[in-house]
mmCIF file of all heavy atoms in Angstrom:
data_model
loop_
_atom_site.group_PDB
_atom_site.id
_atom_site.type_symbol
_atom_site.label_atom_id
_atom_site.label_comp_id
_atom_site.label_asym_id
_atom_site.label_seq_id
_atom_site.Cartn_x
_atom_site.Cartn_y
_atom_site.Cartn_z
ATOM 1 N N PRO A 834 66.631 33.044 -71.058
ATOM 2 C CA PRO A 834 65.689 32.235 -71.840
ATOM 3 C C PRO A 834 65.590 30.822 -71.286
ATOM 4 O O PRO A 834 66.555 30.278 -70.816
ATOM 5 C CB PRO A 834 66.306 32.225 -73.241
ATOM 6 C CG PRO A 834 67.698 32.635 -73.068
ATOM 7 C CD PRO A 834 67.782 33.466 -71.838
ATOM 8 N N GLY A 835 64.408 30.280 -71.326
ATOM 9 C CA GLY A 835 64.216 28.930 -70.796
ATOM 10 C C GLY A 835 63.957 28.928 -69.310
ATOM 11 O O GLY A 835 63.768 27.878 -68.707
ATOM 12 N N LYS A 838 60.789 27.013 -67.615
ATOM 13 C CA LYS A 838 60.861 25.603 -67.226
ATOM 14 C C LYS A 838 61.618 25.419 -65.923
ATOM 15 O O LYS A 838 61.236 24.613 -65.074
ATOM 16 C CB LYS A 838 61.580 24.813 -68.318
ATOM 17 C CG LYS A 838 60.673 24.217 -69.335
ATOM 18 C CD LYS A 838 61.422 23.172 -70.120
ATOM 19 C CE LYS A 838 60.492 22.368 -70.990
ATOM 20 N NZ LYS A 838 61.228 21.388 -71.770
ATOM 21 N N ARG A 907 49.810 39.024 -71.688
ATOM 22 C CA ARG A 907 51.197 39.056 -72.129
ATOM 23 C C ARG A 907 51.463 37.922 -73.111
ATOM 24 O O ARG A 907 52.103 38.110 -74.140
ATOM 25 C CB ARG A 907 52.137 38.959 -70.917
ATOM 26 C CG ARG A 907 53.550 39.440 -71.210
ATOM 27 C CD ARG A 907 54.491 39.178 -70.062
ATOM 28 N NE ARG A 907 54.479 37.808 -69.606
ATOM 29 C CZ ARG A 907 55.039 36.801 -70.265
ATOM 30 N NH1 ARG A 907 55.645 37.002 -71.401
ATOM 31 N NH2 ARG A 907 54.965 35.591 -69.769
ATOM 32 N N LEU A 910 49.887 38.769 -76.309
ATOM 33 C CA LEU A 910 50.672 39.806 -76.984
ATOM 34 C C LEU A 910 51.863 39.193 -77.704
ATOM 35 O O LEU A 910 52.151 39.521 -78.860
ATOM 36 C CB LEU A 910 51.148 40.839 -75.954
ATOM 37 C CG LEU A 910 51.740 42.129 -76.516
ATOM 38 C CD1 LEU A 910 50.714 42.842 -77.368
ATOM 39 C CD2 LEU A 910 52.203 43.028 -75.379
ATOM 40 N N ASP A 911 52.533 38.272 -77.022
ATOM 41 C CA ASP A 911 53.658 37.585 -77.660
ATOM 42 C C ASP A 911 53.207 36.864 -78.919
ATOM 43 O O ASP A 911 53.873 36.912 -79.951
ATOM 44 C CB ASP A 911 54.282 36.576 -76.685
ATOM 45 C CG ASP A 911 55.186 37.255 -75.671
ATOM 46 O OD1 ASP A 911 55.476 38.455 -75.852
ATOM 47 O OD2 ASP A 911 55.595 36.587 -74.708
ATOM 48 N N GLU A 912 52.044 36.188 -78.809
ATOM 49 C CA GLU A 912 51.519 35.484 -79.976
ATOM 50 C C GLU A 912 51.253 36.453 -81.119
ATOM 51 O O GLU A 912 51.518 36.162 -82.279
ATOM 52 C CB GLU A 912 50.200 34.791 -79.621
ATOM 53 C CG GLU A 912 50.278 33.824 -78.478
ATOM 54 C CD GLU A 912 50.274 32.391 -78.945
ATOM 55 O OE1 GLU A 912 49.439 32.070 -79.813
ATOM 56 O OE2 GLU A 912 51.115 31.620 -78.473
ATOM 57 N N TYR A 914 52.714 39.338 -81.655
ATOM 58 C CA TYR A 914 54.002 39.753 -82.209
ATOM 59 C C TYR A 914 54.507 38.716 -83.196
ATOM 60 O O TYR A 914 54.973 39.028 -84.286
ATOM 61 C CB TYR A 914 55.036 39.899 -81.086
ATOM 62 C CG TYR A 914 55.230 41.297 -80.599
ATOM 63 C CD1 TYR A 914 54.677 41.715 -79.392
ATOM 64 C CD2 TYR A 914 55.971 42.219 -81.328
ATOM 65 C CE1 TYR A 914 54.861 43.003 -78.930
ATOM 66 C CE2 TYR A 914 56.162 43.505 -80.875
ATOM 67 C CZ TYR A 914 55.594 43.892 -79.671
ATOM 68 O OH TYR A 914 55.777 45.166 -79.215
ATOM 69 N N LEU A 915 54.416 37.454 -82.760
ATOM 70 C CA LEU A 915 54.923 36.377 -83.603
ATOM 71 C C LEU A 915 54.113 36.267 -84.893
ATOM 72 O O LEU A 915 54.660 36.100 -85.974
ATOM 73 C CB LEU A 915 54.867 35.046 -82.848
ATOM 74 C CG LEU A 915 55.857 34.922 -81.691
ATOM 75 C CD1 LEU A 915 55.546 33.693 -80.873
ATOM 76 C CD2 LEU A 915 57.271 34.856 -82.209
ATOM 77 N N ARG A 916 52.797 36.389 -84.738
ATOM 78 C CA ARG A 916 51.955 36.273 -85.924
ATOM 79 C C ARG A 916 52.179 37.464 -86.849
ATOM 80 O O ARG A 916 52.143 37.329 -88.070
ATOM 81 C CB ARG A 916 50.480 36.209 -85.524
ATOM 82 C CG ARG A 916 49.694 35.300 -86.447
ATOM 83 C CD ARG A 916 48.281 35.133 -85.975
ATOM 84 N NE ARG A 916 48.217 34.639 -84.617
ATOM 85 C CZ ARG A 916 47.198 34.847 -83.804
ATOM 86 N NH1 ARG A 916 46.158 35.551 -84.200
ATOM 87 N NH2 ARG A 916 47.201 34.372 -82.584
ATOM 88 N N GLU A 918 54.985 39.008 -87.254
ATOM 89 C CA GLU A 918 56.206 38.714 -87.996
ATOM 90 C C GLU A 918 55.928 37.770 -89.148
ATOM 91 O O GLU A 918 56.464 37.916 -90.228
ATOM 92 C CB GLU A 918 57.205 38.017 -87.065
ATOM 93 C CG GLU A 918 58.207 38.958 -86.454
ATOM 94 C CD GLU A 918 59.230 38.177 -85.655
ATOM 95 O OE1 GLU A 918 59.753 37.193 -86.188
ATOM 96 O OE2 GLU A 918 59.469 38.582 -84.517
ATOM 97 N N ASP A 919 55.085 36.776 -88.882
ATOM 98 C CA ASP A 919 54.740 35.814 -89.930
ATOM 99 C C ASP A 919 54.078 36.520 -91.099
ATOM 100 O O ASP A 919 54.373 36.232 -92.254
ATOM 101 C CB ASP A 919 53.755 34.769 -89.393
ATOM 102 C CG ASP A 919 54.498 33.656 -88.685
ATOM 103 O OD1 ASP A 919 55.715 33.601 -88.837
ATOM 104 O OD2 ASP A 919 53.842 32.875 -87.992
ATOM 105 N N ARG A 922 55.780 38.367 -93.953
ATOM 106 C CA ARG A 922 56.541 37.647 -94.977
ATOM 107 C C ARG A 922 55.747 37.400 -96.248
ATOM 108 O O ARG A 922 54.582 37.197 -96.233
ATOM 109 C CB ARG A 922 56.983 36.320 -94.384
ATOM 110 C CG ARG A 922 57.948 36.649 -93.281
ATOM 111 C CD ARG A 922 58.046 35.615 -92.261
ATOM 112 N NE ARG A 922 59.122 36.039 -91.330
ATOM 113 C CZ ARG A 922 59.730 35.260 -90.485
ATOM 114 N NH1 ARG A 922 59.400 34.020 -90.444
ATOM 115 N NH2 ARG A 922 60.648 35.700 -89.699
ATOM 116 N N HIS B 940 59.818 29.314 -80.934
ATOM 117 C CA HIS B 940 60.052 30.689 -80.504
ATOM 118 C C HIS B 940 60.480 30.738 -79.063
ATOM 119 O O HIS B 940 60.184 29.853 -78.263
ATOM 120 C CB HIS B 940 58.817 31.550 -80.749
ATOM 121 C CG HIS B 940 57.578 30.999 -80.122
ATOM 122 N ND1 HIS B 940 57.253 31.218 -78.807
ATOM 123 C CD2 HIS B 940 56.577 30.251 -80.622
ATOM 124 C CE1 HIS B 940 56.107 30.619 -78.535
ATOM 125 N NE2 HIS B 940 55.677 30.021 -79.612
ATOM 126 N N PHE B 941 61.231 31.756 -78.714
ATOM 127 C CA PHE B 941 61.671 32.007 -77.346
ATOM 128 C C PHE B 941 61.046 33.339 -76.947
ATOM 129 O O PHE B 941 61.548 34.396 -77.291
ATOM 130 C CB PHE B 941 63.202 32.116 -77.294
ATOM 131 C CG PHE B 941 63.908 30.877 -77.765
ATOM 132 C CD1 PHE B 941 64.349 30.764 -79.075
ATOM 133 C CD2 PHE B 941 64.132 29.816 -76.901
ATOM 134 C CE1 PHE B 941 65.003 29.624 -79.508
ATOM 135 C CE2 PHE B 941 64.789 28.672 -77.326
ATOM 136 C CZ PHE B 941 65.221 28.577 -78.642
ATOM 137 N N GLY B 942 59.920 33.292 -76.244
ATOM 138 C CA GLY B 942 59.222 34.540 -75.922
ATOM 139 C C GLY B 942 58.736 35.175 -77.209
ATOM 140 O O GLY B 942 57.960 34.600 -77.951
ATOM 141 N N ARG B 943 59.243 36.363 -77.505
ATOM 142 C CA ARG B 943 58.802 37.030 -78.725
ATOM 143 C C ARG B 943 59.730 36.774 -79.893
ATOM 144 O O ARG B 943 59.434 37.177 -81.011
ATOM 145 C CB ARG B 943 58.760 38.540 -78.505
ATOM 146 C CG ARG B 943 57.505 38.931 -77.854
ATOM 147 C CD ARG B 943 57.440 40.410 -77.643
ATOM 148 N NE ARG B 943 56.411 40.656 -76.657
ATOM 149 C CZ ARG B 943 56.146 41.812 -76.117
ATOM 150 N NH1 ARG B 943 56.860 42.852 -76.468
ATOM 151 N NH2 ARG B 943 55.197 41.930 -75.236
ATOM 152 N N ARG B 944 60.826 36.130 -79.597
ATOM 153 C CA ARG B 944 61.806 35.953 -80.672
ATOM 154 C C ARG B 944 61.535 34.640 -81.398
ATOM 155 O O ARG B 944 61.527 33.567 -80.803
ATOM 156 C CB ARG B 944 63.215 35.935 -80.071
ATOM 157 C CG ARG B 944 64.310 35.991 -81.116
ATOM 158 C CD ARG B 944 65.660 36.152 -80.434
ATOM 159 N NE ARG B 944 66.040 34.967 -79.679
ATOM 160 C CZ ARG B 944 66.603 33.892 -80.205
ATOM 161 N NH1 ARG B 944 66.836 33.843 -81.494
ATOM 162 N NH2 ARG B 944 66.922 32.857 -79.440
ATOM 163 N N ARG B 945 61.327 34.784 -82.707
ATOM 164 C CA ARG B 945 61.076 33.574 -83.474
ATOM 165 C C ARG B 945 62.387 33.029 -83.983
ATOM 166 O O ARG B 945 63.058 33.677 -84.764
ATOM 167 C CB ARG B 945 60.191 33.912 -84.677
ATOM 168 C CG ARG B 945 58.823 33.359 -84.551
ATOM 169 C CD ARG B 945 58.334 32.795 -85.855
ATOM 170 N NE ARG B 945 56.877 32.811 -85.864
ATOM 171 C CZ ARG B 945 56.131 31.906 -85.226
ATOM 172 N NH1 ARG B 945 56.690 30.933 -84.580
ATOM 173 N NH2 ARG B 945 54.824 31.987 -85.261
ATOM 174 N N SER B 948 60.350 29.575 -88.218
ATOM 175 C CA SER B 948 58.996 29.981 -88.553
ATOM 176 C C SER B 948 58.391 29.093 -89.628
ATOM 177 O O SER B 948 58.749 29.206 -90.796
ATOM 178 C CB SER B 948 59.046 31.438 -89.020
ATOM 179 O OG SER B 948 57.803 31.850 -89.449
ATOM 180 N N ARG B 949 57.475 28.216 -89.239
ATOM 181 C CA ARG B 949 56.705 27.381 -90.164
ATOM 182 C C ARG B 949 57.599 26.727 -91.213
ATOM 183 O O ARG B 949 57.433 26.924 -92.402
ATOM 184 C CB ARG B 949 55.643 28.218 -90.870
ATOM 185 C CG ARG B 949 54.830 29.107 -89.954
ATOM 186 C CD ARG B 949 53.719 28.315 -89.264
ATOM 187 N NE ARG B 949 52.672 27.953 -90.198
ATOM 188 C CZ ARG B 949 51.695 28.749 -90.586
ATOM 189 N NH1 ARG B 949 51.633 29.999 -90.119
ATOM 190 N NH2 ARG B 949 50.788 28.338 -91.431
ATOM 191 N N ALA B 982 62.611 20.933 -78.250
ATOM 192 C CA ALA B 982 61.243 20.619 -78.660
ATOM 193 C C ALA B 982 60.680 21.776 -79.478
ATOM 194 O O ALA B 982 60.866 22.926 -79.120
ATOM 195 C CB ALA B 982 60.383 20.397 -77.418
ATOM 196 N N ARG B 1133 66.797 32.053 -93.698
ATOM 197 C CA ARG B 1133 67.082 33.390 -93.197
ATOM 198 C C ARG B 1133 65.985 33.764 -92.219
ATOM 199 O O ARG B 1133 64.813 33.572 -92.523
ATOM 200 C CB ARG B 1133 67.102 34.382 -94.355
ATOM 201 C CG ARG B 1133 67.795 35.682 -93.972
ATOM 202 C CD ARG B 1133 67.828 36.589 -95.142
ATOM 203 N NE ARG B 1133 66.922 37.700 -94.929
ATOM 204 C CZ ARG B 1133 67.246 38.964 -95.195
ATOM 205 N NH1 ARG B 1133 68.416 39.227 -95.688
ATOM 206 N NH2 ARG B 1133 66.379 39.917 -94.996
ATOM 207 N N ASP B 1134 66.385 34.315 -91.069
ATOM 208 C CA ASP B 1134 65.410 34.749 -90.060
ATOM 209 C C ASP B 1134 64.406 33.662 -89.712
ATOM 210 O O ASP B 1134 63.224 33.921 -89.531
ATOM 211 C CB ASP B 1134 64.628 35.979 -90.548
ATOM 212 C CG ASP B 1134 65.528 37.192 -90.665
ATOM 213 O OD1 ASP B 1134 66.524 37.254 -89.914
ATOM 214 O OD2 ASP B 1134 65.247 38.057 -91.509
ATOM 215 N N GLY B 1135 64.861 32.440 -89.659
ATOM 216 C CA GLY B 1135 63.986 31.358 -89.237
ATOM 217 C C GLY B 1135 63.099 30.804 -90.335
ATOM 218 O O GLY B 1135 62.321 29.883 -90.104
ATOM 219 N N ARG B 1136 63.201 31.342 -91.510
ATOM 220 C CA ARG B 1136 62.357 30.825 -92.592
ATOM 221 C C ARG B 1136 63.196 30.091 -93.621
ATOM 222 O O ARG B 1136 64.353 30.412 -93.849
ATOM 223 C CB ARG B 1136 61.635 31.976 -93.295
ATOM 224 C CG ARG B 1136 60.423 32.482 -92.531
ATOM 225 C CD ARG B 1136 59.769 33.596 -93.295
ATOM 226 N NE ARG B 1136 60.666 34.728 -93.428
ATOM 227 C CZ ARG B 1136 60.675 35.551 -94.479
ATOM 228 N NH1 ARG B 1136 59.863 35.340 -95.492
ATOM 229 N NH2 ARG B 1136 61.513 36.571 -94.530
#
Side-chain angles (χ1 to χ4, degrees):
Chain A
K838 267 195 170 178
R907 199 187 52 74
L910 192 60
D911 281 350
E912 303 256 314
Y914 262 104
L915 290 170
R916 215 174 304 155
E918 264 185 48
D919 276 347
R922 294 156 175 197
Chain B
H940 55 84
F941 300 95
R943 277 181 197 173
R944 190 173 68 82
R945 250 221 205 282
S948 175
R949 313 279 289 279
R1133 197 178 109 135
D1134 293 332
R1136 281 181 297 148

